[in-house]
Amino acid sequence: MAAAYKRILLKLSGEALMGDDAYGINQSVVSGIVKDVAEIARLGVEIGIVIGGGNIFRGMAGAASGMDRATADYMGMLATIMNAMALADAFGHAGLTARVQSALRVDQVVEPYIRGRAIRHLEEGKIVIFAAGTGNPFFTTDTAAALRGSEIGAQIVLKATKVDGIYTADPKKDPSATRYTTVTFDEAIARNLQVLDATAFALCRDQKLPIKVFSIFKPGALLRVVQGEDEGTLVYV
């Protein structure tokens, strides 16, 4: 089955790399993510990835307690660079070519973010991992995903979570909760659905960039999403 999307922006949280560990990177989990991404890469999908740093920063939570917010945010950006490098290395071992572009300049280890170069990498079939968020404190990696997705001309932002979509209530607490198949941006606002943070959500809505919320841990879910099947929840204009 052909892919429904030519170019996507996949948003991965740092916590998605942890598995059941308290913090850090779980290699078996990373291997599973790489395998899923490889499946869609073989369909010819151009893949950009924005990754968070919560899994590494969580290990520094005690030291960061009471820290100035801007300083803590910059530390979090550095954590995303480490995650991006680890993910790129894992892609390399799987036979895929990945490039890391950082919004903070660390030229000795990764490329700086340059929009035209990122698009060229995508057109050449390389996976581009965007690190260091937007490069600014007070903005989340959700906002970075919306921004980079808009800049590279992605057709959709795929928000990878631990839950297989958006539900009417917390499915862990309410067994009767049902999953939304689709929901408009206006409906998501009216129902106070937690899709992305407010800044990222507003940017996606204004740019008419749809969001698909799905579980990265559900076998085959990413493939079904890019093939346009009923997987997760689609948020659209």
Side-chain angles (χ1 to χ4, degrees):
M1 185 175 177
Y5 305 103
K6 174 65 175 175
R7 183 176 295 171
I8 66 165
L9 191 291
L10 176 63
K11 168 58 172 64
L12 284 173
S13 68
E15 287 81 356
L17 306 183
M18 287 169 37
D20 294 326
D21 298 343
Y23 54 85
I25 298 171
N26 184 303
Q27 290 300 328
S28 64
V29 171
V30 171
S31 295
I33 292 172
V34 167
K35 180 181 177 182
D36 288 347
V37 173
E39 279 189 311
I40 66 170
R42 285 193 289 268
L43 296 178
V45 179
E46 297 173 0
I47 305 160
I49 299 175
V50 167
I51 192 161
N55 58 317
I56 292 176
F57 199 66
R58 183 177 294 188
M60 302 183 291
S65 179
M67 185 179 291
D68 175 78
R69 168 66 188 275
T71 299
D73 281 357
Y74 279 117
M75 290 172 64
M77 291 179 216
L78 295 174
T80 72
I81 296 172
M82 289 188 275
N83 278 340
M85 292 173 66
L87 194 57
D89 181 75
F91 281 129
H93 285 296
L96 300 171
T97 303
R99 294 287 183 267
V100 177
Q101 290 200 345
S102 171
L104 293 180
R105 297 295 296 261
V106 259
D107 298 1
Q108 292 90 337
V109 288
V110 297
E111 297 179 8
Y113 171 66
I114 300 173
R115 176 176 175 268
R117 184 183 291 174
I119 291 173
R120 186 165 66 250
H121 286 328
L122 292 168
E123 291 172 344
E124 293 171 350
K126 299 170 185 171
I127 298 167
V128 183
I129 307 170
F130 300 105
T134 67
N136 302 285
F138 308 109
F139 290 94
T140 68
T141 50
D142 274 353
T143 299
L147 179 62
R148 297 291 181 249
S150 299
E151 287 180 307
I152 67 172
Q155 295 168 283
I156 192 167
V157 171
L158 305 183
K159 175 69 179 288
T161 69
K162 294 182 178 180
V163 182
D164 64 339
I166 303 171
Y167 281 75
T168 54
D170 186 341
K172 293 181 179 179
K173 298 178 180 178
D174 185 356
S176 66
T178 58
R179 175 176 62 88
Y180 292 104
T181 302
T182 62
V183 63
T184 67
F185 281 99
D186 289 341
E187 288 170 337
I189 292 171
R191 297 171 186 171
N192 195 31
L193 302 178
Q194 303 300 313
V195 183
L196 301 175
D197 72 64
T199 304
F201 189 81
L203 180 55
C204 286
R205 181 190 58 191
D206 293 347
Q207 296 301 314
K208 297 180 174 58
L209 180 60
I211 305 162
K212 173 78 84 163
V213 181
F214 75 105
S215 172
I216 193 65
F217 298 109
K218 187 175 178 182
L222 179 58
L223 180 61
R224 289 191 293 275
V225 166
V226 301
Q227 290 178 327
E229 298 182 23
D230 179 17
E231 183 68 49
T233 301
L234 178 68
V235 186
Y236 67 100
V237 177

